[in-house]
Amino acid sequence: MYHKLHQLSKDVNWDERVSKLFFQLYKESLGHAEALLRMFKEMFPNESPPEVTLPALEVELSEERLRDMVYHGHLKDILEYLMGTEKLAHDVYKYLAERTEDENSKATLIWLANIENGHYQKLRNLYVSLFGSEPGE
């Protein structure tokens, strides 16, 4: 979703920090996925990641919906939505970390929660710098 937003945001006349942040979050998300895959392969060297039928933790908007929001100038709504998904992911990882007894799992879940919180903070900081107020005010 961040990659698509990066691409779409270059088509409109938004502050360049918006496109740069979307690209940065896209690259960070790829790096985190690669780190998790490496971790899985180290822990389970002879296995492939299982197929999972659960929905993604961070709900993605359709390309059509993203395009509509970008081209109609709904940047505030986009940033608020993204902050909400990052906060939800943080809260879920934190909740799971608090309830697991396995120290490796706990450390991974805390790492993931911190990543999501970092994404939230970057989005929030951009929001405040662009709109001069805290989200939800």
Side-chain angles (χ1 to χ4, degrees):
M1 188 164 59
Y2 284 122
H3 185 260
K4 182 49 71 181
L5 281 167
H6 166 69
Q7 291 175 321
L8 292 171
S9 67
K10 292 189 296 185
D11 294 342
V12 293
N13 193 22
W14 284 347
D15 187 299
E16 68 180 27
R17 293 174 291 175
V18 174
S19 180
K20 285 182 180 179
L21 180 58
F22 289 157
F23 187 71
Q24 177 187 4
L25 293 175
Y26 159 67
K27 294 298 271 184
E28 286 179 12
S29 295
L30 280 180
H32 302 149
E34 290 168 355
L36 286 170
L37 186 57
R38 278 193 307 277
M39 192 181 307
F40 179 88
K41 288 180 178 184
E42 288 172 10
M43 294 172 72
F44 309 100
N46 299 321
E47 295 183 37
S48 296
E51 292 290 325
V52 178
T53 58
L54 297 173
L57 186 55
E58 294 175 359
V59 178
E60 291 193 17
L61 296 173
S62 70
E63 183 174 341
E64 180 181 330
R65 180 72 177 126
L66 287 175
R67 187 177 306 279
D68 182 62
M69 291 177 80
V70 168
Y71 292 149
H72 286 96
H74 297 288
L75 180 56
K76 217 177 216 190
D77 294 336
I78 291 168
L79 292 175
E80 287 174 354
Y81 175 83
L82 294 171
M83 285 184 287
T85 64
E86 297 292 355
K87 182 168 181 359
L88 173 64
H90 167 268
D91 292 349
V92 169
Y93 290 135
K94 184 178 174 193
Y95 175 87
L96 293 172
E98 291 169 351
R99 281 152 183 79
T100 187
E101 295 182 18
D102 178 76
E103 290 304 316
N104 288 334
S105 296
K106 183 182 297 270
T108 300
L109 290 163
I110 290 170
W111 174 70
L112 290 168
N114 288 335
I115 287 169
E116 303 300 346
N117 188 55
H119 288 176
Y120 173 86
Q121 291 302 324
K122 288 174 184 176
L123 290 162
R124 185 194 148 282
N125 291 342
L126 179 62
Y127 185 101
V128 170
S129 71
L130 292 174
F131 302 111
S133 65
E134 291 290 330
E137 286 185 0

